Amino acid sequence: MFVQQLEPVADSLALSALAATLPLVTVLVLLGAVRMRAHHAGLIGLAVAVAVSSLAYGMPLGQTLSAGAQGVLFGLFPIMWIVVNALWVYRMTVRTQHFDILRRSFGRLSDDPRIQALVIAFCFGALLEALAGFGAPVAISSVMLVALGFDPVKAAVVSLVANTAPVAFGAMGTPVVTLAQITGLPLDDVASVVGRQTPLLALLVPLILVFLVDGRRGLRETWLPALVCGVAFAGAQFAASNYVSAQLADIAAALVGAAALMAVPAARRPAEEPVRAAVLTGVRSGDLDHEDPHREVLRAYVPYALIVAVFSVAQIPPVKDLLARATRVFDWPLLDVANPAGKPVGANLFTLPVIATGGTLVLLAGLVTTVALGVRPGDAAREWVGTVYELRYAILTVTSVLALAYVMNLSGQAATIGQFVAAAGAGLAFLSPVLGWFGVAVSGSDTSANALFGALQVSAARESGLSPELLAAANSSGGVLGKMISPQNLTIACAAVGLAGREGDLLRKVLPWSLGLLLVMCLIVLAQSTSVLGWMLP
């Protein structure tokens, strides 16, 4: 048995923490300063983590490699299993041109560009984040807004800022699923606290979007639809994440938010021509005037309805219990680790949810989608293989980062850093969202940031007497605000609207919003750690 040590370097907590941070510093410097591609930075960081584990912490090399292998498996299944199948469903809608039908359907909901920004960037962007994540919402929303006549810069900025509130539950809950696995906290507990933080952002973001589209006039004339949309989105995200399923949180929020928005009479009122002329300064796509048969419009919504239906049925207690029977729990080979108190760690056992996992449920919905959209089996299979190929670098990045996280957690490196950081005391609650924000800003992924810093946040919380669930959730909730300034997302937005090379221009426009909302989140978490908002926690 390998017993973790908190002060293996010269019996000094400070020196041990310095050594333990080397893998994280390596990844962050390679990403932020060297601008190395994420999967290369992840692999190099993993090598450094293995070296620190073996040389500084004395973890046997076999156990170190076994810990990394467990991280790789978790990265593949269930994490990338969810992402691949979700993006596969989207690709099939593109192949059958039902995505274009959906885009035209949204364009006809309202001719007011401020409302269109809410429907497409905020609501539909959240739905895309729920199904795919990993940059897809920004790229697709930007293109759709440009097709409606938005200036490319404004379309990109609106899409980037809108892609905040849904990120923590994106890709069928992948970030919070990862956070729960890395920290050892129950998924329901983590999702519940995140669901009491990010909805507060959802109240503000729609108001910011109409301001970005049309300045003070937009805020003055459309504040009511924006507020109704934000309240409905926030309420649905809170309810789903706390009482239904973390995987359904963004889907429910997107659909309820859009329905509430269109129920407001002001949202359906035709926009005045001066407003349209001032806002729509780009070139409008000609195919928006094409009338689609009602049957095809309904078919365009079928994939999303199927996913909601499958996940809803899977939450019915008898069905949930039946699916759980296929879950396998087994001793992980070559791994026998105890914490500093001498108690075995949870990672000695590995849980494999074969059917009761988001990816398998999305795959089932996707198979039914092939029938509903008329996709031939061979074409559907080619689209699935094409999805894996498209995500090959993302798969390598996620698996390498999770392998790094598992090595750091099981060798004791994360616990050492956590104990050192705990010296911040009560100030730790204010700073915890900043760590998540920084992680997403450099990695472009809330999932990666949770894998890197989740265990550290929990360790620091326990040492300082704060709620582990609160700081773990704060890492993810703060991280969503780093998404809009991450180099990957900026590059995706620029490429989508034909602004290659102008990432700096977008960064200058979105950075103030990122920092402002981060400050709001820091204050929320600080208040939730005290009696001021402590009543909000479950």
Side-chain angles (χ1 to χ4, degrees), residues 447-467:
T447 299
S448 296
N450 286 344
L452 289 172
F453 300 128
L456 188 157
Q457 297 267 24
V458 168
S459 179
R462 286 172 174 152
E463 292 295 331
S464 59
L466 295 170
S467 164

Side-chain angles (χ1 to χ4, degrees), residues 134-298:
F134 289 85
V138 170
I140 296 167
S141 297
S142 298
V143 170
M144 292 177 75
L145 290 176
V146 169
L148 291 172
F150 277 68
D151 171 74
V153 173
K154 184 169 290 187
V157 170
V158 167
S159 298
L160 285 165
V161 174
N163 190 221
T164 49
V167 169
F169 296 105
M172 308 309 296
T174 296
V176 291
V177 169
T178 303
L179 184 61
Q181 179 72 15
I182 288 294
T183 59
L185 299 172
L187 173 60
D188 290 344
D189 292 352
V190 173
S192 178
V193 179
V194 174
R196 295 161 194 251
Q197 294 172 344
T198 56
L200 299 177
L201 295 176
L203 298 175
L204 300 176
V205 173
L207 296 169
I208 294 173
L209 295 181
V210 296
F211 177 81
L212 287 172
V213 172
D214 195 27
R216 293 181 181 177
R217 177 179 62 183
L219 194 58
R220 183 176 63 252
E221 296 180 0
T222 57
W223 68 268
L224 181 58
L227 184 61
V228 169
C229 179
V231 170
F233 185 102
Q237 191 181 63
F238 162 76
S241 60
N242 277 266
Y243 305 114
V244 184
S245 166
Q247 288 89 345
L248 284 176
D250 280 347
I251 294 178
L255 297 177
V256 172
L261 173 62
M262 299 318 301
V264 179
R268 301 193 304 274
R269 191 176 301 139
E272 298 178 2
E273 191 54 38
V275 172
R276 293 179 54 79
V279 176
L280 300 180
T281 55
V283 179
R284 186 174 182 273
S285 176
D287 74 340
L288 290 174
D289 297 324
H290 178 74
E291 288 292 334
D292 298 300
H294 291 300
R295 181 172 179 272
E296 293 304 313
V297 173
L298 290 176

Side-chain angles (χ1 to χ4, degrees), residues 89-101 104 296 299-300 303 369-370 372-376 379 383:
V89 173
Y90 161 72
R91 282 173 60 108
M92 285 194 294
T93 67
V94 173
R95 182 184 185 92
T96 59
Q97 299 184 337
H98 283 89
F99 178 77
D100 292 329
I101 295 173
R104 290 192 288 269
E296 293 304 313
R299 290 178 71 191
T369 296
T370 62
L373 299 186
V375 181
R376 290 180 297 182
D379 292 336
E383 286 296 335

Side-chain angles (χ1 to χ4, degrees), residues 300-326:
Y301 285 89
V302 163
Y304 311 105
L306 284 171
I307 289 176
V308 172
V310 169
F311 273 85
S312 299
V313 170
Q315 297 306 310
I316 299 173
V319 178
K320 191 174 184 177
D321 294 340
L322 181 63
L323 298 179
R325 292 181 184 176

Side-chain angles (χ1 to χ4, degrees), residues 238-478:
F238 162 76
S241 60
N242 277 266
Y243 305 114
V244 184
S245 166
Q247 288 89 345
L248 284 176
D250 280 347
I251 294 178
L255 297 177
V256 172
L261 173 62
M262 299 318 301
V264 179
R268 301 193 304 274
R269 191 176 301 139
E272 298 178 2
E273 191 54 38
V275 172
R276 293 179 54 79
V279 176
L280 300 180
T281 55
V283 179
R284 186 174 182 273
S285 176
D287 74 340
L288 290 174
D289 297 324
H290 178 74
E291 288 292 334
D292 298 300
H294 291 300
R295 181 172 179 272
E296 293 304 313
V297 173
L298 290 176
R299 290 178 71 191
Y301 285 89
V302 163
Y304 311 105
L306 284 171
I307 289 176
V308 172
V310 169
F311 273 85
S312 299
V313 170
Q315 297 306 310
I316 299 173
V319 178
K320 191 174 184 177
D321 294 340
L322 181 63
L323 298 179
R325 292 181 184 176
T327 299
R328 295 290 177 264
V329 180
F330 55 89
D331 289 322
W332 187 257
L334 303 178
L335 196 64
D336 189 8
V337 179
N339 62 24
K343 296 181 179 180
V345 299
N348 291 333
L349 297 175
F350 188 78
T351 301
L352 193 65
V354 180
I355 299 178
T357 184
T360 303
L361 297 178
V362 174
L363 176 63
L364 177 60
L367 292 174
V368 181
T369 296
T370 62
V371 178
L373 299 186
V375 181
R376 290 180 297 182
D379 292 336
R382 281 188 286 273
E383 286 296 335
W384 196 90
V385 173
T387 303
V388 174
Y389 181 77
E390 180 183 337
L391 291 173
R392 62 193 184 283
Y393 294 126
I395 292 171
L396 188 55
T397 298
V398 169
T399 52
S400 62
V401 167
L402 280 164
L404 180 155
Y406 269 67
V407 170
M408 289 189 64
N409 295 345
L410 291 173
S411 65
Q413 296 172 58
T416 297
I417 300 172
Q419 189 173 44
F420 184 76
V421 172
L428 183 60
F430 181 84
L431 295 175
S432 58
V434 179
L435 194 59
W437 174 84
F438 184 71
V440 176
V442 297
S443 70
S445 166
D446 200 36
T447 299
S448 296
N450 286 344
L452 289 172
F453 300 128
L456 188 157
Q457 297 267 24
V458 168
S459 179
R462 286 172 174 152
E463 292 295 331
S464 59
L466 295 170
S467 164
E469 291 81 5
L470 175 62
L471 295 201
N475 191 82
S476 192
S477 298

